[in-house]
Amino acid sequence: MSRSTRFDTKKVNSELVTLTYGTLVAQMVKDLDTAEDVNKQLERIGYNMGIRLIEDFLSRTGTGRCLDLKDTADKILSAFRLYLGVQPNVVNWSGAGDEFSLILESNPLTELVELPDELKQLKYCNMICGVIRGALEMVQLDVQSWIVQDQLKGDQNTEIRVKFIRRLEDAMPAGED
C-alpha cells in the first residue's frame, strides 16, 4: 500500500515566499552599505513587482476602475488576500479622505524573522510599500506608502500608511502622437 501525504499548498507557498524573501533581504544586507540603502532597494523591487502584478490582479479579479480611494482600499485588501493570504484592516482615514492605514495583525513575510539590534533601521517589509505604489501608479493613482509600525520592532501590528497624492493623466509615449 502506498502512503499519500497531502500538503496544504497555501501554507507551502506562504512558507516558500517567507524563506525566499528572507534570503533576498539577508543578501542585500550583506551587499549594501547601510540599512537605508537596503530600504530603498526593497521599495524599488516592490515598485517593479507592483507594476507587473496589477495586470495579474485585474485579470484574476475582473475588477474595473476604482471609483474613489475607499474603493481602492477595498481592492488593496483583495490583493493582500490573493497574494499573501492575509486580511489587513483599513483604519485611520484622514479627515480629507485622502489617507488611510492598513493594519496587518499577522504578516507572512515576518513569521520566521528576528531583526538584530544593528538592523533596527531596516524596514524589512518595505517591498510591500513599493508594490502598492507601483500597482496604483499603473492605474493612474500617484500615492505614497510607508511603514508606520512594524512587528519586527516590537509593535503589536504592522501598519502601512497610504496617502493619495494625485490622479495621473494618461500619457502617450514620446513620439507616438
Side-chain angles (χ1 to χ4, degrees):
M1 227 177 200
S2 70
R3 194 167 117 193
S4 117
T5 54
R6 296 214 169 221
F7 293 106
D8 181 359
T9 56
K10 286 189 179 200
K11 183 70 174 162
V12 170
N13 289 341
S14 175
E15 289 174 355
L16 181 61
V17 168
T18 300
L19 294 171
T20 304
Y21 185 70
T23 302
L24 171 73
V25 174
Q27 188 63 47
M28 290 172 69
V29 166
K30 288 179 185 175
D31 292 347
L32 299 173
D33 295 331
T34 66
E36 188 57 38
D37 291 341
V38 175
N39 295 339
K40 288 177 187 175
Q41 193 72 0
L42 287 172
E43 202 278 341
R44 189 179 66 77
I45 289 169
Y47 174 82
N48 290 329
M49 288 174 65
I51 287 173
R52 288 163 183 80
L53 275 176
I54 190 67
E55 287 183 38
D56 181 66
F57 174 77
L58 293 174
S59 69
R60 283 186 182 200
T61 61
T63 58
R65 275 196 177 275
C66 296
L67 304 173
D68 57 17
L69 199 58
K70 290 191 188 295
D71 188 30
T72 301
D74 289 340
K75 289 179 180 166
I76 291 172
L77 293 180
S78 296
F80 269 90
R81 275 193 309 268
L82 183 65
Y83 294 109
L84 289 177
V86 295
Q87 176 69 40
N89 295 313
V90 177
V91 297
N92 300 332
W93 282 93
S94 67
D98 64 346
E99 197 171 333
F100 61 89
S101 290
L102 298 165
I103 303 291
L104 292 154
E105 293 177 11
S106 68
N107 184 345
L109 293 181
T110 62
E111 283 179 1
L112 307 171
V113 178
E114 285 185 30
L115 285 181
D117 288 337
E118 63 270 12
L119 291 176
K120 288 299 180 188
Q121 297 302 315
L122 180 67
K123 296 175 184 174
Y124 188 83
C125 293
N126 216 28
M127 184 182 73
I128 295 173
C129 297
V131 169
I132 292 169
R133 189 173 68 85
L136 292 180
E137 186 173 298
M138 295 309 292
V139 291
Q140 281 73 41
L141 294 175
D142 186 15
V143 300
Q144 288 179 332
S145 180
W146 66 94
I147 297 171
V148 177
Q149 293 182 14
D150 191 342
Q151 288 171 318
L152 291 177
K153 297 178 182 172
D155 296 319
Q156 185 176 0
N157 301 307
T158 298
E159 178 181 352
I160 299 171
R161 193 82 179 149
V162 179
K163 179 177 176 53
F164 173 77
I165 305 300
R166 64 186 171 103
R167 184 169 293 280
L168 301 170
E169 300 297 322
D170 287 333
M172 294 291 289
E176 293 189 24
D177 297 353

